[in-house]
Amino acid sequence: MLSLARSLQQSLPTLLHRSGATFSSSTSLRGLEELVVLSPKEDAKPPVTGRGWEAADLRKKSWDDLHKLWFVLLKERTRLQGERLMYRARQERMPDPSRITKVRKSMARIKAVLTERLAEHQDPAVRLQLKAFIDGL
């Protein structure tokens, strides 16, 4: 178990760097501490969030940008789930639980946009590879 944690700690910075941290506005942390949820301070303000990604906005992005955004959203979803569990264990209400829904819907919209792009390819072999890629997300 310890070796698995050590292995993840060593490889996570590389994976996160490839995932497109340029989309994130948070401070740049590396390693497992990116996913650690800390208890909020007493005087902490509730999180301010924007809207989720709309399909029209996602259609303007390249394959690479969508792939990077997917991993940023995946990291955020994991962090939010940890936060939700922390508040549930403390029997408190999570501030702005709609953040989880926004991330989940944005991820579903990325998959929908990528699936739409499958129709653009005429070669069945390319379509099969792309479909396997999308299904693997």
Side-chain angles (χ1 to χ4, degrees):
M1 182 71 175
L2 189 58
S3 64
L4 175 63
R6 202 171 282 132
S7 168
L8 278 173
Q9 204 168 21
Q10 291 170 351
S11 64
L12 198 57
T14 305
L15 293 173
L16 292 174
H17 177 68
R18 290 183 192 155
S19 72
T22 57
F23 283 103
S24 177
S25 63
S26 61
T27 59
S28 179
L29 298 173
R30 294 290 180 235
L32 293 176
E33 59 269 2
E34 260 188 315
L35 302 175
V36 173
V37 179
L38 301 173
S39 296
K41 296 179 180 150
E42 293 293 324
D43 59 347
K45 297 177 186 173
V48 178
T49 60
R51 63 180 176 84
W53 285 89
E54 298 293 330
D57 297 330
L58 295 170
R59 286 184 189 104
K60 298 173 187 174
K61 300 228 173 265
S62 69
W63 276 91
D64 289 338
D65 287 345
L66 289 174
H67 193 210
K68 290 174 186 177
L69 180 57
W70 174 267
F71 282 103
V72 169
L73 289 170
L74 183 64
K75 182 175 73 173
E76 182 66 12
R77 185 183 74 181
T78 304
R79 207 185 61 66
L80 286 172
Q81 287 172 342
E83 186 177 325
R84 185 182 68 194
L85 289 173
M86 179 191 69
Y87 279 105
R88 187 177 289 168
R90 293 164 60 189
Q91 297 181 347
E92 295 178 8
R93 188 173 186 280
M94 179 180 173
D96 195 12
S98 69
R99 295 178 292 162
I100 296 171
T101 305
K102 290 175 188 176
V103 169
R104 194 179 69 239
K105 284 183 178 182
S106 295
M107 292 175 82
R109 289 177 182 141
I110 288 174
K111 273 189 160 185
V113 168
L114 291 175
T115 304
E116 288 173 5
R117 292 185 183 179
L118 276 177
E120 297 173 4
H121 295 283
Q122 303 301 323
D123 185 14
V126 171
R127 289 179 69 167
L128 190 62
Q129 285 179 337
L130 291 175
K131 177 145 178 47
F133 172 76
I134 294 168
D135 290 343
L137 291 177

